[in-house]
Amino acid sequence: QVQLVESGGGSVQAGGSLRLSCAASGRTFSRYVMGWFRQAPGKEREFVAIIGGNGGGTYYADSVKGRFTIARDNAKNTGYLQMNTLEPEDTAIYYCGAGLLWTVAPSEYDYWGQGTQVTVSS
């Protein structure tokens, strides 16, 4: 099993930056694909970014490409999402997920953290 805990959310002005962390339990984190997703009130959970188990492959949603960077440090069992040039439209609860498949579909992920709130004001 994989236990995930997100942190690093908060409130920032438009144009600001935040770095989210996803801490995984145990020594199994490197076996899983890690994805970041977000969910705004009244909307479905949507894909943000994904990174392979060895960190060699990444893929981003068009809405965040060029602004967000996904990374992982398997020695620390931790994933990251660096968010720059934040916009009010980025406001949502951000979740990290882990799974065995390379996919952007939230329903295919096996494990989830509790989420961390990101609020961007104009």
XYZ file of all heavy atoms in Angstrom, residues 21-79:
447
model
N 4.356 19.602 -2.083
C 5.076 18.367 -1.833
C 4.093 17.232 -1.608
O 2.990 17.440 -1.109
C 5.984 18.501 -0.604
O 6.992 19.465 -0.817
N 4.504 16.034 -1.966
C 3.712 14.826 -1.772
C 4.622 13.790 -1.136
O 5.476 13.207 -1.807
C 3.159 14.331 -3.103
S 2.241 12.777 -3.016
N 4.454 13.569 0.153
C 5.281 12.628 0.890
C 4.633 11.250 0.875
O 3.465 11.102 1.235
C 5.479 13.106 2.322
N 5.401 10.254 0.472
C 4.922 8.877 0.399
C 5.557 8.043 1.494
O 6.725 8.237 1.838
C 5.239 8.268 -0.962
N 4.799 7.119 2.026
C 5.304 6.251 3.079
C 6.117 5.101 2.501
O 5.935 4.701 1.351
C 4.144 5.702 3.910
O 3.308 4.873 3.114
N 7.002 4.566 3.307
C 7.741 3.366 2.964
C 8.785 3.566 1.881
O 9.229 4.685 1.608
N 9.154 2.468 1.237
C 10.196 2.465 0.214
C 9.661 2.038 -1.144
O 10.438 1.649 -2.012
C 11.330 1.532 0.647
C 12.000 1.948 1.928
C 12.931 0.871 2.489
N 13.936 0.443 1.539
C 13.978 -0.764 0.979
N 13.069 -1.674 1.297
N 14.943 -1.073 0.126
N 8.358 2.124 -1.354
C 7.731 1.660 -2.579
C 7.389 2.771 -3.563
O 6.896 2.489 -4.652
C 6.449 0.875 -2.272
O 5.502 1.722 -1.622
C 6.754 -0.312 -1.366
N 7.644 4.025 -3.216
C 7.234 5.154 -4.030
C 7.769 5.071 -5.457
O 7.055 5.375 -6.419
C 7.674 6.451 -3.361
C 7.296 7.699 -4.102
C 5.976 7.968 -4.432
C 8.269 8.619 -4.463
C 5.632 9.128 -5.106
C 7.933 9.784 -5.130
C 6.615 10.037 -5.454
N 9.007 4.650 -5.629
C 9.637 4.624 -6.942
C 9.004 3.619 -7.898
O 9.248 3.687 -9.104
C 11.133 4.336 -6.813
O 11.355 3.048 -6.268
N 8.202 2.717 -7.413
C 7.542 1.720 -8.256
C 6.310 2.280 -8.961
O 5.763 1.621 -9.854
C 7.135 0.503 -7.420
C 8.293 -0.177 -6.713
C 7.812 -1.385 -5.937
N 8.892 -1.989 -5.164
C 9.727 -2.895 -5.623
N 9.613 -3.318 -6.890
N 10.681 -3.389 -4.856
N 5.881 3.473 -8.586
C 4.611 4.004 -9.063
C 4.778 5.272 -9.882
O 5.645 6.103 -9.619
C 3.687 4.305 -7.882
C 3.286 3.083 -7.090
C 4.050 2.656 -6.014
C 2.149 2.366 -7.435
C 3.689 1.528 -5.298
C 1.783 1.240 -6.718
C 2.552 0.825 -5.654
O 2.203 -0.289 -4.942
N 3.915 5.407 -10.869
C 3.702 6.685 -11.531
C 3.060 7.638 -10.527
O 2.195 7.234 -9.738
C 2.786 6.499 -12.753
C 2.284 7.832 -13.287
C 3.508 5.716 -13.839
N 3.480 8.900 -10.533
C 2.894 9.903 -9.659
C 2.259 11.000 -10.493
O 2.885 11.534 -11.411
C 3.941 10.518 -8.730
C 3.338 11.476 -7.707
S 4.578 12.558 -6.929
C 4.915 13.684 -8.270
N 1.021 11.337 -10.173
C 0.325 12.407 -10.862
C -0.173 13.468 -9.910
O -0.404 13.196 -8.720
N -0.313 14.678 -10.423
C -0.955 15.771 -9.701
C -2.274 16.101 -10.393
O -2.327 16.192 -11.631
C -0.075 17.017 -9.643
C 1.056 16.916 -8.673
C 2.339 16.557 -8.934
C 0.995 17.195 -7.266
N 3.086 16.588 -7.785
C 2.286 16.974 -6.745
C -0.021 17.603 -6.398
C 2.587 17.153 -5.400
C 0.280 17.775 -5.056
C 1.568 17.550 -4.573
N -3.309 16.281 -9.600
C -4.647 16.593 -10.085
C -5.216 17.721 -9.235
O -4.723 17.989 -8.139
C -5.553 15.360 -10.005
C -5.060 14.201 -10.834
C -4.032 13.394 -10.385
C -5.626 13.927 -12.070
C -3.568 12.335 -11.146
C -5.174 12.871 -12.846
C -4.147 12.081 -12.386
N -6.242 18.376 -9.742
C -6.874 19.443 -8.972
C -8.379 19.405 -9.171
O -8.884 18.926 -10.183
C -6.312 20.815 -9.360
C -6.598 21.242 -10.794
C -5.812 22.494 -11.135
N -6.104 22.987 -12.473
C -5.459 23.986 -13.053
N -4.475 24.613 -12.405
N -5.800 24.369 -14.277
N -9.081 19.934 -8.174
C -10.534 19.941 -8.210
C -11.047 21.247 -7.626
O -10.781 21.566 -6.472
C -11.104 18.753 -7.435
C -12.597 18.586 -7.583
C -13.080 17.229 -7.093
O -12.376 16.538 -6.360
N -14.262 16.844 -7.506
N -11.764 22.004 -8.447
C -12.396 23.239 -8.023
C -13.842 22.951 -7.644
O -14.424 21.955 -8.088
C -12.331 24.276 -9.140
N -14.465 23.815 -6.830
C -15.853 23.595 -6.439
C -16.773 23.430 -7.640
O -16.720 24.220 -8.588
C -16.204 24.854 -5.641
C -14.894 25.315 -5.101
C -13.891 25.010 -6.182
N -17.604 22.403 -7.608
C -18.554 22.168 -8.674
C -17.973 21.554 -9.929
O -18.709 21.392 -10.914
N -16.693 21.202 -9.923
C -16.062 20.634 -11.099
C -15.491 19.257 -10.785
O -15.281 18.898 -9.626
C -14.945 21.543 -11.621
C -15.413 22.927 -12.035
C -14.290 23.735 -12.651
C -13.845 23.137 -13.977
N -12.794 23.968 -14.636
N -15.246 18.494 -11.836
C -14.628 17.184 -11.686
C -13.131 17.335 -11.442
O -12.525 18.346 -11.797
C -14.871 16.339 -12.935
C -16.332 16.047 -13.223
C -16.961 15.194 -12.158
O -16.310 14.228 -11.694
O -18.105 15.469 -11.768
N -12.546 16.313 -10.832
C -11.107 16.299 -10.652
C -10.432 16.227 -12.019
O -10.800 15.408 -12.860
C -10.701 15.107 -9.792
C -9.246 15.115 -9.372
C -8.972 14.064 -8.297
N -9.732 14.323 -7.093
C -9.590 13.660 -5.955
N -8.679 12.684 -5.872
N -10.339 13.955 -4.913
N -9.440 17.101 -12.251
C -8.806 17.178 -13.551
C -7.300 16.972 -13.453
O -6.662 17.311 -12.460
C -9.103 18.514 -14.243
C -8.491 19.721 -13.571
C -8.716 21.007 -14.345
O -9.414 20.969 -15.384
O -8.198 22.059 -13.917
N -6.749 16.449 -14.529
C -5.326 16.164 -14.625
C -4.514 17.444 -14.686
O -4.899 18.408 -15.355
C -5.072 15.321 -15.872
C -3.636 15.222 -16.261
C -2.764 14.404 -15.563
C -3.145 15.947 -17.336
C -1.433 14.308 -15.930
C -1.817 15.854 -17.711
C -0.964 15.035 -17.001
N -3.358 17.442 -14.020
C -2.427 18.558 -14.057
C -1.077 18.136 -14.638
O -0.584 18.727 -15.586
C -2.218 19.174 -12.661
C -1.141 20.256 -12.694
C -3.536 19.746 -12.133
N -0.463 17.090 -14.062
C 0.862 16.658 -14.500
C 1.115 15.237 -14.030
O 0.532 14.783 -13.048
C 1.954 17.588 -13.965
N 2.019 14.542 -14.724
C 2.367 13.167 -14.382
C 3.861 12.962 -14.587
O 4.469 13.581 -15.469
C 1.550 12.162 -15.237
C 1.781 10.723 -14.788
C 1.854 12.321 -16.721
C 0.861 9.723 -15.478
N 4.446 12.091 -13.783
C 5.861 11.757 -13.907
C 6.031 10.269 -13.693
O 5.369 9.663 -12.837
C 6.721 12.577 -12.923
C 8.211 12.367 -13.186
C 6.362 12.244 -11.473
C 9.095 13.372 -12.443
N 6.911 9.651 -14.480
C 7.143 8.227 -14.384
C 7.905 7.848 -13.132
O 8.471 8.683 -12.428
N 7.925 6.559 -12.854
C 8.551 6.065 -11.643
C 10.015 6.415 -11.527
O 10.505 6.695 -10.424
N 10.736 6.411 -12.650
C 12.160 6.753 -12.645
C 12.410 8.230 -12.912
O 13.566 8.640 -13.018
C 12.919 5.895 -13.654
C 12.478 6.138 -15.086
O 11.651 7.007 -15.364
N 13.027 5.361 -16.006
N 11.357 9.017 -13.052
C 11.491 10.443 -13.292
C 11.852 10.829 -14.706
O 12.016 12.020 -14.991
N 11.961 9.847 -15.607
C 12.436 10.130 -16.952
C 11.410 10.694 -17.908
O 11.778 11.257 -18.940
N 10.131 10.533 -17.598
C 9.089 11.021 -18.471
C 8.108 11.899 -17.728
O 7.739 11.599 -16.587
N 7.696 13.003 -18.354
C 6.709 13.907 -17.767
C 5.707 14.318 -18.830
O 5.999 14.313 -20.030
C 7.352 15.166 -17.163
O 8.052 15.880 -18.204
C 8.338 14.802 -16.064
N 4.530 14.710 -18.377
C 3.481 15.178 -19.276
C 2.607 16.148 -18.505
O 2.300 15.914 -17.329
C 2.657 13.999 -19.800
C 1.563 14.387 -20.765
C 1.870 14.844 -22.040
C 0.226 14.289 -20.404
C 0.871 15.193 -22.929
C -0.780 14.635 -21.286
C -0.448 15.085 -22.556
O -1.443 15.428 -23.433
N 2.205 17.252 -19.173
C 1.455 18.312 -18.520
C 0.165 18.627 -19.259
O 0.089 18.532 -20.490
C 2.279 19.599 -18.465
C 3.561 19.483 -17.683
C 4.737 19.070 -18.296
C 3.595 19.793 -16.331
C 5.918 18.967 -17.580
C 4.775 19.694 -15.606
C 5.928 19.279 -16.237
O 7.100 19.183 -15.521
N -0.837 19.040 -18.502
C -2.030 19.598 -19.112
C -1.677 20.901 -19.828
O -0.802 21.648 -19.386
C -3.097 19.860 -18.047
N -2.360 21.175 -20.937
C -2.072 22.392 -21.698
C -2.229 23.651 -20.847
O -1.512 24.635 -21.043
C -2.991 22.482 -22.913
C -2.644 21.489 -24.000
O -1.517 20.946 -23.981
O -3.498 21.248 -24.872
N -3.141 23.625 -19.898
C -3.421 24.800 -19.092
C -2.273 25.186 -18.161
O -2.226 26.325 -17.689
C -4.693 24.586 -18.265
O -4.555 23.470 -17.408
N -1.352 24.257 -17.887
C -0.261 24.543 -16.962
C 1.110 24.413 -17.602
O 2.118 24.777 -16.974
C -0.323 23.648 -15.711
C -1.693 23.742 -15.056
C 0.008 22.199 -16.051
N 1.189 23.912 -18.820
C 2.483 23.732 -19.481
C 3.222 25.060 -19.568
O 2.657 26.081 -19.965
C 2.292 23.125 -20.868
C 3.600 22.873 -21.618
C 3.368 22.143 -22.933
C 3.003 20.695 -22.694
N 2.952 19.923 -23.973
N 4.499 25.032 -19.201
C 5.316 26.229 -19.203
C 5.286 26.994 -17.899
O 6.136 27.863 -17.674
N 4.328 26.704 -17.036
C 4.219 27.366 -15.735
C 4.504 26.420 -14.573
O 5.077 26.836 -13.563
C 2.823 27.971 -15.552
C 2.473 29.015 -16.602
C 1.168 29.722 -16.261
N 0.039 28.791 -16.224
C -0.728 28.569 -15.160
N -0.491 29.224 -14.024
N -1.746 27.721 -15.230
N 4.103 25.162 -14.701
C 4.271 24.181 -13.634
C 5.364 23.189 -14.008
O 5.557 22.871 -15.189
C 2.981 23.400 -13.393
C 1.846 24.188 -12.800
C 1.891 25.570 -12.673
C 0.708 23.522 -12.362
C 0.842 26.286 -12.129
C -0.354 24.223 -11.812
C -0.290 25.598 -11.700
N 6.056 22.662 -13.003
C 7.067 21.643 -13.200
C 6.868 20.535 -12.178
O 6.810 20.798 -10.977
C 8.487 22.211 -13.066
O 8.680 23.264 -14.011
C 9.523 21.114 -13.327
N 6.762 19.297 -12.656
C 6.629 18.152 -11.769
C 8.000 17.502 -11.590
O 8.804 17.449 -12.524
C 5.600 17.139 -12.318
C 5.300 16.052 -11.288
C 6.050 16.541 -13.645
C 4.132 15.153 -11.672
N 8.280 17.009 -10.392
C 9.549 16.361 -10.103
C 9.351 15.352 -8.987
O 8.308 15.336 -8.311
C 10.609 17.396 -9.710
N 10.347 14.503 -8.799
C 10.300 13.561 -7.687
C 11.705 13.269 -7.211
O 12.664 13.309 -7.984
C 9.579 12.264 -8.081
C 10.298 11.428 -9.124
C 9.376 10.337 -9.690
N 8.917 9.408 -8.681
C 7.890 8.576 -8.818
N 7.193 8.578 -9.954
N 7.551 7.756 -7.836
N 11.828 12.964 -5.942
C 13.079 12.566 -5.328
C 12.811 11.236 -4.648
O 12.313 11.192 -3.524
C 13.558 13.615 -4.332
C 14.926 13.303 -3.761
O 15.374 12.144 -3.847
O 15.562 14.226 -3.221
N 13.114 10.156 -5.350
C 12.780 8.836 -4.824
C 13.573 8.487 -3.571
O 13.110 7.699 -2.746
C 13.000 7.772 -5.904
C 11.956 7.848 -6.998
O 10.862 8.367 -6.799
N 12.290 7.335 -8.171
N 14.768 9.056 -3.415
C 15.546 8.817 -2.207
C 14.837 9.360 -0.975
O 15.047 8.869 0.135
C 16.934 9.438 -2.326
N 14.004 10.385 -1.170
C 13.229 10.971 -0.083
C 11.772 10.541 -0.110
O 10.981 11.004 0.715
C 13.311 12.496 -0.137
C 14.706 13.051 0.052
C 14.696 14.577 0.016
C 16.079 15.136 0.253
N 16.090 16.620 0.213
N 11.402 9.678 -1.060
C 10.015 9.242 -1.213
C 9.064 10.434 -1.290
O 8.002 10.448 -0.653
C 9.603 8.318 -0.068
C 10.089 6.889 -0.262
O 10.741 6.566 -1.252
N 9.766 6.025 0.692
N 9.447 11.432 -2.084
C 8.675 12.664 -2.159
C 8.538 13.131 -3.595
O 9.496 13.108 -4.366
C 9.335 13.773 -1.322
O 9.465 13.330 0.040
C 8.495 15.040 -1.344
N 7.335 13.559 -3.953
C 7.077 14.196 -5.228
C 6.816 15.675 -5.031
O 6.454 16.113 -3.930
